[in-house]
């Protein structure tokens, strides 16, 4: 009787595993940003429960006792069970790898070593390291193509900063040793908000010239700070109250005075428009093996960024330098170096070499 019941359950689970195939199927070579963002864990859990109710019930019984179900009010085994089913599906076919792809990209972004990918791939949790590197190259190429199209239509801003990367060698040799290396990473922000007014280089330079003759004074700065004190105090009180009332132990929904105006958000001063049509897109450029602590390093970095943005010919450089200012964001070191470069190049022959469009 036990063997007969076990055989029935096996046939039912095998049928449910075949039903899970459409939910987990994803060709290994199919990798896009839209595909990754379209994967929702809560949706996967709901659809897996519907497609494989018997399998889910057995795994839930094995991972969660009735006593735990009564005692735990927040903890559930759903995430563990969905990963178990994903691992079993991946064991049946390497084309059932939807969650493995998400895990791989996430773990790579956290700096997981190559050996770690091989280990987790053997467990069925991630793809192998070769797929990860190939996939990231494919995502990078797609992102770069989109970026080059977007900057032809919309204004953009940029930012760069230095970084240190630790390269780990598992087999030590004279030319293959564990070491730290320095580089620079840059990000491009594409402004798609239709209400944004594209600045003009000539207008900006005229305003800068008039402002240089009448600079802001120290008393004026104190007045601006004094006038903003009330608004800053309101924001600070709201933030501090938010930490207190949002704590799980406080149980704000049961608080008698939860509808009090004290908990209302302070009025906005200059409220920006929100929504998909106003969203700013962010693109990461290829990391360059250049330091940005010196003036020479920043000059080389700027040249490399515009090379990646395909600003190569003299005509392209002339059009860009006359079109609109490019705001470049950075920390105190970066901004001071760029300002210094503009001073050094102030007597150069053209607007591109003088970095007149760069702010």
């Amino acid at each position: 009787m036990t063997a007969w019941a076990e055989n029935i359950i096996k046939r039912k689970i095998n049928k449910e595993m075949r039903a899970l195939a459409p939910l987990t199927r994803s060709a290994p070579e199919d990798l896009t940003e839209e595909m990754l963002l379209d994967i929702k864990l809560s949706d996967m859990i709901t659809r897996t429960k519907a497609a494989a109710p018997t399998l889910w019930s057995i795994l839930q019984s094995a991972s969660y006792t009735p006593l735990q179900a009564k005692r735990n009010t927040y903890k559930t085994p759903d995430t563990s069970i969905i990963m178990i089913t994903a691992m079993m599906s991946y064991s049946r076919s390497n084309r059932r790898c939807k969650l493995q792809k998400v895990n791989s990209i996430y773990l790579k972004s956290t700096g997981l070593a190559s050996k770690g990918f091989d280990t987790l791939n053997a467990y069925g949790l991630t793809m192998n390291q070769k797929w990860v590197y190939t996939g990231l190259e494919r995502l990078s190429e797609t992102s770069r193509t989109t970026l080059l199209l977007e900057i032809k239509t919309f204004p953009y801003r940029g930012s760069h900063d230095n970084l240190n990367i630790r390269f780990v060698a598992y087999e030590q040799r004279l030319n293959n040793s564990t070491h730290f290396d320095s580089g620079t990473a840059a990000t491009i922000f594409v402004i798609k908000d239709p209400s944004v007014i594209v600045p003009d280089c000539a207008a900006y330079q005229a305003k800068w010239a008039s402002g240089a003759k009448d600079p802001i004074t120290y008393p004026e700065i104190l007045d601006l700070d004094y006038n903003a004190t009330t608004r800053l105090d309101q924001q600070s009180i709201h933030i501090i109250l938010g930490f207190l009332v949002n704590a799980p132990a406080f149980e704000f929904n049961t608080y008698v005075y939860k509808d009090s105006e004290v908990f209302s958000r302070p009025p906005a001063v200059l409220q920006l428009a929100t929504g998909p049509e106003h969203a700013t897109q962010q693109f990461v450029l290829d990391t360059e093996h250049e330091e940005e602590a010196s003036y020479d390093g920043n000059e080389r970095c700027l040249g490399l960024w515009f090379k990646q943005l395909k600003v190569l010919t003299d005509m392209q450089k002339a059009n860009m330098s006359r079109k609109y200012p490019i705001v470049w964001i950075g920390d105190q070191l970066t901004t001071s170096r760029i300002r210094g470069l503009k001073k050094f190049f102030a007597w150069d022959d053209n607007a591109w070499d003088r970095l007149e469009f760069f702010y």
Side-chain angles (χ1 to χ4, degrees):
M1 182 64 71
T2 301
W4 174 78
E6 183 180 346
N7 190 42
I8 294 294
I9 294 299
K10 285 181 178 178
R11 290 204 300 267
K12 189 169 183 62
I13 289 178
N14 186 53
K15 182 179 179 181
E16 291 182 352
M17 288 299 297
R18 290 197 297 268
L20 287 177
L23 304 182
T24 58
R25 184 179 294 115
S26 178
E29 64 276 4
D30 181 19
L31 181 65
T32 61
E33 182 179 351
E34 292 74 17
M35 184 274 293
L36 291 174
L37 295 177
D38 190 53
I39 299 174
K40 303 291 189 296
L41 193 60
S42 58
D43 180 58
M44 292 285 293
I45 291 174
T46 302
R47 296 174 65 186
T48 301
K49 286 181 179 179
T54 303
L55 175 62
W56 190 277
S57 178
I58 292 174
L59 293 175
Q60 187 175 37
S61 177
S63 57
Y64 208 57
T65 65
L67 181 61
Q68 283 179 293
K70 293 180 180 179
R71 186 175 66 246
N72 295 332
T73 56
Y74 298 104
K75 178 183 175 183
T76 64
D78 289 355
T79 52
S80 301
I81 296 174
I82 192 65
M83 281 311 308
I84 293 172
T85 58
M87 292 163 64
M88 292 189 296
S89 294
Y90 186 63
S91 178
R92 290 195 168 205
S93 172
N94 66 348
R95 305 186 77 79
R96 303 183 186 181
C97 55
K98 187 174 290 186
L99 287 181
Q100 281 76 8
K101 289 182 177 180
V102 176
N103 291 342
S104 300
I105 298 300
Y106 168 73
L107 292 173
K108 180 60 180 175
S109 68
T110 62
L112 181 66
S114 301
K115 294 292 184 181
F117 277 109
D118 290 337
T119 303
L120 294 177
N121 177 249
Y123 294 150
L125 285 167
T126 65
M127 310 296 285
N128 57 43
Q129 59 168 313
K130 181 180 178 181
W131 180 92
V132 173
Y133 294 134
T134 304
L136 289 177
E137 289 179 1
R138 189 179 300 118
L139 287 175
S140 178
E141 291 173 1
T142 304
S143 176
R144 184 60 46 77
T145 302
T146 305
L147 169 61
L148 296 177
L149 292 174
E150 297 287 3
I151 62 177
K152 292 180 179 179
T153 307
F154 303 100
Y156 62 92
R157 307 290 182 261
S159 174
H160 73 245
D161 201 0
N162 63 299
L163 55 83
N164 293 319
I165 302 176
R166 183 171 183 259
F167 292 90
V168 180
Y170 296 97
E171 296 180 1
Q172 296 283 350
R173 294 185 178 88
L174 292 177
N175 60 346
N176 183 34
S177 302
T178 298
H179 67 285
F180 277 94
D181 212 339
S182 299
T184 306
T187 305
I188 299 298
F189 305 94
V190 179
I191 313 298
K192 287 191 165 184
D193 191 341
S195 61
V196 170
I197 299 175
V198 180
D200 178 76
C201 275
Y204 179 87
Q205 291 170 7
K207 189 67 176 178
W208 182 86
S210 63
K213 298 177 181 178
D214 185 23
I216 188 171
T217 63
Y218 182 69
E220 290 174 336
I221 295 175
L222 292 180
D223 289 339
L224 292 173
D225 183 67
Y226 177 78
N227 294 333
T229 300
T230 303
R231 299 194 301 270
L232 294 175
D233 288 344
Q234 292 175 348
Q235 289 289 343
S236 299
I237 293 172
H238 179 72
I239 292 172
I240 294 172
L241 285 176
F243 284 120
L244 297 175
V245 302
N246 292 326
F250 185 76
E251 296 183 355
F252 182 68
N253 291 331
T254 62
Y255 185 54
V256 178
Y257 303 104
K258 64 180 181 180
D259 296 325
S260 172
E261 294 182 358
V262 175
F263 303 110
S264 300
R265 182 178 295 276
V269 181
L270 294 173
Q271 180 65 52
L272 297 177
T274 60
E277 67 277 9
H278 300 282
T280 299
Q281 275 192 292
Q282 179 178 339
F283 298 89
V284 179
L285 298 180
D286 292 343
T287 301
E288 296 289 351
H289 193 189
E290 282 288 351
E291 52 85 20
E292 64 102 30
S294 65
Y295 290 109
D296 289 338
N298 275 275
E299 181 184 1
R300 289 192 294 269
C301 285
L302 294 179
L304 291 170
W305 305 144
F306 287 111
K307 184 177 180 181
Q308 290 190 37
L309 295 175
K310 302 302 181 185
V311 183
L312 304 174
T313 65
D314 292 339
M315 184 59 67
Q316 289 173 326
K317 294 177 181 179
N319 290 335
M320 172 169 285
S321 60
R322 291 194 297 260
K323 190 175 181 182
Y324 57 83
I326 297 178
V327 178
W328 207 260
I329 308 163
D331 56 17
Q332 186 174 1
L333 176 64
T334 303
T335 54
S336 65
R337 293 294 182 266
I338 293 178
R339 288 170 182 168
L341 288 175
K342 295 187 67 173
K343 292 180 181 178
F344 298 152
F345 299 150
W347 296 97
D348 281 8
D349 295 332
N350 55 69
W352 176 267
D353 292 337
R354 291 192 297 267
L355 296 177
E356 287 185 356
F357 63 98
F358 213 68
Y359 300 97

